[in-house]
Amino acid sequence: MTDLAALGWAGLPDGEAPRGWFPGRISRVDRRWCTLLTADGELRIRLTGEPVCSGDWVLASIGAYGPRLERVLPRRTALVRADPGQDTVGQIVAANADTVAVVESVEPTPNAGRLERLLALAWASGAKALVVLAKSDLASEPVLLAAHLEASVPGLAVHPVSAVTGDGIGVLAEECAWGRTLALVGASGAGKSSLVNALVGRPVMNTAEIRGGRGRHTTTFRALVPVPGGGAVIDTPGLRAVGMAESSGAGVDAAFADIVVLASLCRHGDCRHDERAEGCAVVAALERGELARRRFDAWRRLRHDVAVQTDPRAARRAVAEVFRQRRVRRQHRGKY
Ligand SMILES: Nc1nc2c(ncn2[C@@H]2O[C@H](COP(=O)(O)OP(=O)(O)OP(=O)(O)O)[C@@H](O)[C@H]2O)c(=O)[nH]1
Ligand SMILES: [Mg+2]
Ligand SMILES: [Zn+2]
């Protein structure tokens, strides 16, 4: 039995479903089968049509040959791994997360470059992004280390958290409180599954042995796990960070394959895809609610970042702007 509202079910986007169809949320996808959480319990459903991923909301029915998926509902957010070898849906690691936490561990040394690239994916998902400095119990000065790391992610707080002592878990618990979904991404061994177990309060996910080698990919599937009394947390296998800079836009385009397709369908040759464009495929998708505003904004922001990385004059302007904003923040801080 699952309380779907606790998992964030907000009703059908467009009114009624055909008779006999009922909603559910995908918790796990294996090769040919998925696990669906419904109000009446868990169902194992054989996959036939549309591909799905953990976190998807779907409509299902019980047919003569057993339960079947009827429709995948539009995704509000989608965390996408930029892997050019796969189709768009195959790249989705977590659907409909409200918050994506990028997990970077104290041990081995946190890597600012990887953090930045994973954050780009988190922003691109359309969800709220957050940074977690995991295994804080292993650092002598976790707060200092977090502050040091914060310097590489302007405007974002880095939260030290320990699955062993429970320190800082409250910050994450809020993100998967009733009705909310938190997704965890990060390198293999960063401590994602350990955080899931800490949030759920019992060992639902396997974690590596303490003496196990690094980069072993203990978790091999994506899983959505309901949190007692609350929302849900999505665990993902260790994610290799994608290069954003080195391929001048290819990484961004891969992360936003759906928008790139829409842009290519746009009737205008040189379109900025903003609100006013009549006949623009991107604007139309935004208006129909098929493309999340935040995801679109993230795409534009990242396209801009890529332009900055390849144009030294634009880069200088961007750096000057970051310093200007810091000055403004500092002045404000002095006032209150
Ligand atoms: N000291 C300490 N060790 C931790 C903590 N969290 C995780 N670990 C250890 O770190 C190792 C990796 O943890 P996992 O939770 O399996 O890491 P993961 O990110 O899920 O890894 P993959 O599934 O491979 O992506 C295990 O040996 C854990 O016991 C923590 O807060 N403190
Ligand atoms: Mg894991
Ligand atoms: Zn357009």
Side-chain angles (χ1 to χ4, degrees):
M1 232 63 70
T2 315
D3 179 2
L4 293 184
L7 296 188
W9 174 247
L12 276 180
D14 48 4
E16 302 251 307
R19 271 182 72 138
W21 290 17
F22 52 89
R25 196 164 192 198
I26 304 279
S27 66
R28 178 174 169 171
V29 180
D30 299 297
R31 197 162 300 159
R32 290 280 179 78
W33 294 80
C34 70
T35 307
L36 185 67
L37 306 178
T38 78
D40 296 321
E42 256 181 48
L43 288 176
R44 292 283 290 163
I45 303 187
R46 204 181 155 82
L47 293 173
T48 45
E50 257 181 289
V52 289
C53 67
S54 294
D56 264 330
W57 285 104
V58 303
L59 294 176
S61 70
I62 307 287
Y65 303 101
R68 46 177 279 149
L69 292 185
E70 298 288 356
R71 188 187 297 162
V72 183
L73 297 173
R75 300 182 176 101
R76 278 186 302 105
T77 70
L79 185 70
V80 178
R81 176 185 57 193
D83 176 353
Q86 284 200 36
D87 62 90
T88 315
V89 177
Q91 293 180 35
I92 301 181
V93 222
N96 301 312
D98 299 285
T99 305
V100 173
V102 175
V103 181
E104 185 70 20
S105 164
V106 160
E107 248 260 4
T109 321
N111 179 324
R114 173 172 59 208
L115 182 60
E116 255 165 40
R117 291 191 291 272
L118 289 173
L119 258 176
L121 294 187
W123 275 320
S125 73
K128 168 183 167 189
L130 197 80
V131 181
V132 163
L133 181 60
K135 311 189 195 180
S136 64
D137 55 288
L138 296 179
S140 51
E141 302 269 15
V143 177
L144 257 183
L145 188 57
H148 179 74
L149 213 55
E150 266 171 19
S152 66
V153 286
L156 261 193
V158 176
H159 305 281
V161 169
S162 168
V164 170
T165 65
D167 259 5
I169 290 285
V171 174
L172 289 178
E174 268 171 47
E175 302 300 331
C176 51
W178 199 92
R180 298 184 53 84
T181 301
L182 165 72
L184 304 176
V185 289
S188 182
K192 299 176 294 299
S193 300
S194 302
L195 289 174
V196 169
N197 294 343
L199 286 165
V200 175
R202 62 196 168 87
V204 283
M205 298 299 295
N206 280 333
T207 58
E209 295 293 312
I210 297 292
R211 282 180 299 137
R214 283 184 193 115
R216 263 201 344 193
H217 292 280
T218 306
T219 306
T220 52
F221 55 89
R222 306 137 197 188
L224 177 143
V225 185
V227 176
V233 56
I234 300 179
D235 194 4
T236 65
L239 214 62
R240 257 191 63 244
V242 260
M244 274 303 166
E246 70 256 28
S247 48
S248 61
V252 174
D253 283 352
F256 292 95
D258 53 339
I259 304 186
V260 172
V261 170
L262 284 170
S264 73
L265 293 174
C266 182
R267 278 202 275 135
H268 309 290
D270 184 22
C271 185
R272 290 182 48 228
H273 316 302
D274 51 22
E275 294 80 15
R276 287 172 308 275
E278 187 96 9
C280 167
V282 179
V283 171
L286 279 170
E287 279 169 359
R288 282 197 305 270
E290 286 167 14
L291 174 60
R293 181 90 235 171
R294 292 191 59 170
R295 228 171 105 63
F296 174 64
D297 289 341
W299 177 63
R300 283 216 292 213
R301 193 164 57 226
L302 281 170
R303 292 296 327 201
H304 172 259
D305 285 352
V306 169
V308 163
Q309 281 158 3
T310 49
D311 173 3
R313 284 221 316 272
R316 272 200 295 278
R317 275 200 304 277
V319 169
E321 175 61 20
V322 167
F323 277 105
R324 193 190 66 79
Q325 284 177 4
R326 280 210 187 135
R327 266 200 312 279
V328 171
R329 271 208 300 278
R330 214 171 287 142
Q331 280 163 5
H332 278 282
R333 221 176 281 151
K335 263 188 227 153
Y336 303 110

